[in-house]
Amino acid sequence: MKRRIFSTVFLTMGLVAAKAQQKDSLTINREKINQLDKEIVHLLGERMEAARAIGIYKQAHNMEVLQSNRFNEVLQKAIETGKAEGLSEEFIRALYEAIHKESIRQQEALKKK
């Protein structure tokens, strides 16, 4: 009887420890995601800064904001890089279309100043 109680207590303690370890792993990975999200947003901010600088150049040289060939080139490179990271083409395409839309918005806003 004592062995059975001891086994049950030991097993319960093991399950509690395993659950605590899982929770720690979950917390660690969520913190990692939070940090990576901050970095992603920061990098997008830097990218938009570069897009604005390009917009200023385009204005100074009477160039159109929309450069479809350039976007297609950037998109294809991103799709290739994304595939190497295990990301779907659909995801990369949607992401870069959103980034491109914001870049155009940023450059168009320069014209209004």
Side-chain angles (χ1 to χ4, degrees), residues 19-87:
K19 245 185 175 177
Q21 188 176 15
Q22 266 185 335
K23 190 173 183 180
D24 287 343
S25 175
L26 179 65
T27 300
I28 289 168
N29 284 302
R30 284 182 173 168
E31 288 172 358
K32 182 176 181 179
I33 285 173
N34 290 344
Q35 182 58 40
L36 290 168
D37 284 346
K38 284 181 185 178
E39 291 177 33
I40 289 168
V41 172
H42 177 74
L43 288 171
L44 287 170
E46 286 187 17
R47 192 182 195 287
M48 291 308 138
E49 187 177 319
R52 287 188 299 273
I54 289 169
I56 291 168
Y57 179 91
K58 287 177 181 177
Q59 273 186 320
H61 292 86
N62 296 317
M63 296 172 68
E64 293 293 320
V65 169
L66 181 60
Q67 303 282 315
S68 297
N69 289 339
R70 171 66 180 152
F71 174 68
N72 290 331
E73 179 184 314
V74 169
L75 179 60
Q76 288 308 309
K77 287 180 183 177
I79 289 170
E80 290 173 22
T81 303
K83 284 182 181 178
E85 294 293 333
L87 303 172

Side-chain angles (χ1 to χ4, degrees), residues 98-109:
I99 291 170
H100 188 242
K101 184 177 178 180
E102 179 63 12
S103 294
I104 289 170
R105 188 193 72 75
Q106 296 268 338
Q107 291 181 21
E108 290 289 345

